[in-house]
């Protein structure tokens, strides 16, 4: 394999190692201006988009242990790589991009957590909460449950404390 192809595979492999999600997309018919705009939008969020020959993409995917995507590596393919933080972020950005650029790009498949999903599920995926949103929900639930638990403990405890205080005051009056 020539040095340029080896370098491309090495770069793709390195990018894929830290990926939380891999999107394979067909960009047939999209203008250069739209590709540039899409790349810029993705880059702002730390998401990379690479175009390479399918054989090189296949080798890079195999190098990182991603199997079962060969049937999607047909025709012009762009690889959109989600960073380690949020595998859903590219779906949200792609759906927003497609609202103003209909049929500009077609997602073939999305691979995350060892599972391949059909690209037709992109809109449904974009509605899922991202990693940070899920973390906020967990914290909210934990704090809510904790404060409820504290109120349960505090309520009877404060009643008991006020009854003890009343009993102490009554005894003090009786002895005085």
């Amino acid at each position: 394999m020539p040095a340029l192809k080896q370098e491309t595979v090495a770069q793709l492999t390195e990018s894929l190692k830290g990926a939380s999600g891999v999107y394979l997309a067909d960009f047939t018919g999209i203008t250069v201006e739209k590709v540039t705009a899409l790349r810029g939008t993705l880059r702002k969020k730390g998401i990379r988009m690479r175009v390479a020959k399918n054989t090189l993409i296949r080798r890079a995917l195999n190098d990182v242990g991603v199997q079962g995507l060969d049937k999607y590596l047909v025709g012009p393919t762009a690889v959109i790589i989600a960073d380690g933080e949020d595998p859903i972020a590219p779906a949200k950005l792609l759906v927003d991009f497609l609202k103003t650029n209909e049929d500009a790009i077609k997602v073939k498949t999305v691979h995350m957590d060892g599972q391949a999903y059909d690209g037709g599920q992109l809109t449904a995926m974009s509605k899922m909460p991202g990693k940070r949103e899920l973390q906020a929900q967990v914290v909210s639930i934990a704090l809510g449950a904790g404060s409820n638990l504290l109120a349960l403990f505090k309520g009877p405890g404060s009643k008991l404390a006020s009854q003890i205080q009343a009993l102490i005051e009554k005894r003090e009056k009786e002895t005085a």
Side-chain angles (χ1 to χ4, degrees):
M1 182 169 34
L4 183 61
K5 288 182 180 181
Q6 286 178 337
E7 183 179 332
T8 301
V9 170
Q11 289 173 351
L12 276 170
T13 301
E14 191 61 34
S15 295
L16 291 168
K17 282 182 183 175
S20 61
V22 177
Y23 294 64
L24 298 181
D26 181 353
F27 61 96
T28 304
I30 188 172
T31 64
V32 173
E33 293 82 19
K34 287 183 181 181
V35 169
T36 303
L38 176 59
R39 282 186 180 196
T41 301
L42 294 170
R43 193 177 307 116
K44 287 178 187 174
K45 297 291 184 177
I47 301 165
R48 294 173 304 279
M49 179 177 162
R50 289 283 312 260
V51 175
K53 289 188 172 189
N54 290 326
T55 54
L56 302 180
I57 296 170
R58 184 176 294 113
R59 285 183 186 169
L61 289 169
N62 287 334
D63 286 350
V64 295
V66 175
Q67 303 294 322
L69 300 183
D70 289 351
K71 65 183 177 183
Y72 300 106
L73 294 172
V74 178
T77 304
V79 181
I80 300 168
I81 303 167
D83 65 2
E85 284 293 312
D86 190 3
I88 301 297
K92 294 176 189 257
L93 292 173
L94 287 169
V95 167
D96 284 344
F97 181 78
L98 288 171
K99 286 178 184 175
T100 57
N101 299 286
E102 292 179 23
D103 301 325
I105 192 167
K106 181 181 180 279
V107 176
K108 300 175 184 182
T109 187
V110 177
H111 185 274
M112 64 179 85
D113 295 328
Q115 181 76 29
Y117 301 94
D118 184 60
Q121 297 176 340
L122 185 69
T123 304
M125 284 182 184
S126 72
K127 294 177 183 174
M128 294 172 54
K131 183 177 179 179
R132 293 179 197 261
E133 293 165 316
L134 285 173
Q135 288 171 336
Q137 288 175 2
V138 168
V139 169
S140 169
I141 290 168
L143 290 177
S147 63
N148 289 343
L149 186 61
L150 180 63
L152 286 173
F153 286 129
K154 186 179 175 186
S158 65
K159 286 181 184 177
L160 180 62
S162 65
Q163 289 176 353
I164 291 172
Q165 185 64 37
L167 185 61
I168 290 171
E169 289 174 4
K170 181 181 175 186
R171 295 282 184 195
E172 287 175 352
K173 286 181 185 177
E174 289 175 357
T175 55

